[in-house]
Amino acid sequence: MPSFDVVSEVDLHQLTNAVDQAGRIVSNRFDFKGVEASFQRDERTVVITAEAAFQITQMEDMLRTALIKCDISAAAMDCGKPVPSGKLVKETVTLRHGLDSAQCKQLVKMIKDAKLKVQAQVQGEQVRVTGKKRDDLQQVIALLKAADFEQPLQFTNFRD
């Protein structure tokens, strides 16, 4: 029976590439010459450090652009508040990964309300959608892409 999984994941290798790319952009920009500014990644969090709050917002935009270039949706970013510490300002950006149970239930309800001939079931941090016809599954994918969901969704493990 054809099926696919609905997940929300962040590729850590691509995240590393995006952070490195944003760091190179900061080091090459004229307005950041002689300024102590950096990105530090730890798993799915990125700490942005700069000397002023307006530089933090500029660096946040640089990171967002680098994420998009590395095929990571900018909607996965969860930006914290800039926190001054000494002469530097720090901001923690967390990238959301996985779907919690409330989001999974919301997806299942959305699929069932569409009255398509598919079954949706929650499996941990993902939703498995199965149906008899491949066309029905493609309609579900189109429905979920068109829906305004607060987290980026990926469709993996499509089996025919």
Side-chain angles (χ1 to χ4, degrees):
M1 223 153 119
S3 67
F4 70 91
D5 296 330
V6 181
V7 296
S8 179
E9 296 177 341
V10 174
D11 184 8
L12 293 179
H13 182 70
Q14 291 292 355
L15 177 60
T16 302
N17 291 343
V19 170
D20 290 345
Q21 187 177 17
R24 283 192 302 273
I25 292 170
V26 167
S27 66
N28 291 335
R29 282 208 17 191
F30 180 75
D31 53 342
F32 280 92
K33 293 290 183 196
V35 174
E36 191 173 331
S38 65
F39 294 97
Q40 293 175 328
R41 184 184 84 79
D42 181 42
E43 281 299 306
R44 290 183 178 84
T45 59
V46 179
V47 177
I48 302 173
T49 307
E51 293 179 357
F54 75 91
Q55 291 171 335
I56 292 284
T57 57
Q58 290 176 340
M59 291 174 68
E60 191 179 302
D61 289 338
M62 289 177 215
L63 180 62
R64 185 174 288 114
T65 304
L67 287 172
I68 291 170
K69 286 182 182 177
C70 290
D71 293 329
I72 298 174
S73 177
M77 287 178 62
D78 189 18
C79 300
K81 299 278 185 202
V83 178
S85 62
K87 67 175 190 167
L88 298 176
V89 179
K90 292 184 178 185
E91 179 183 28
T92 303
V93 176
T94 307
L95 283 103
R96 288 179 260 157
H97 182 80
L99 298 168
D100 61 7
S101 62
Q103 292 170 327
C104 288
K105 288 177 184 177
Q106 182 182 358
L107 284 173
V108 170
K109 183 179 183 316
M110 192 183 305
I111 292 169
K112 288 188 177 183
D113 288 346
K115 303 272 192 233
L116 296 171
K117 294 181 180 180
V118 296
Q119 293 81 37
Q121 59 193 29
V122 177
Q123 293 184 336
E125 292 185 341
Q126 64 186 16
V127 176
R128 163 103 9 119
V129 181
T130 58
K132 291 184 179 179
K133 295 182 182 176
R134 184 178 186 168
D135 293 339
D136 292 338
L137 296 179
Q138 289 173 340
Q139 287 178 343
V140 171
I141 290 173
L143 170 80
L144 294 177
K145 281 184 179 180
D148 186 27
F149 201 68
E150 65 264 8
Q151 200 165 344
L153 300 175
Q154 292 90 29
F155 308 99
T156 61
N157 206 13
F158 195 94
R159 304 205 185 265
D160 207 5

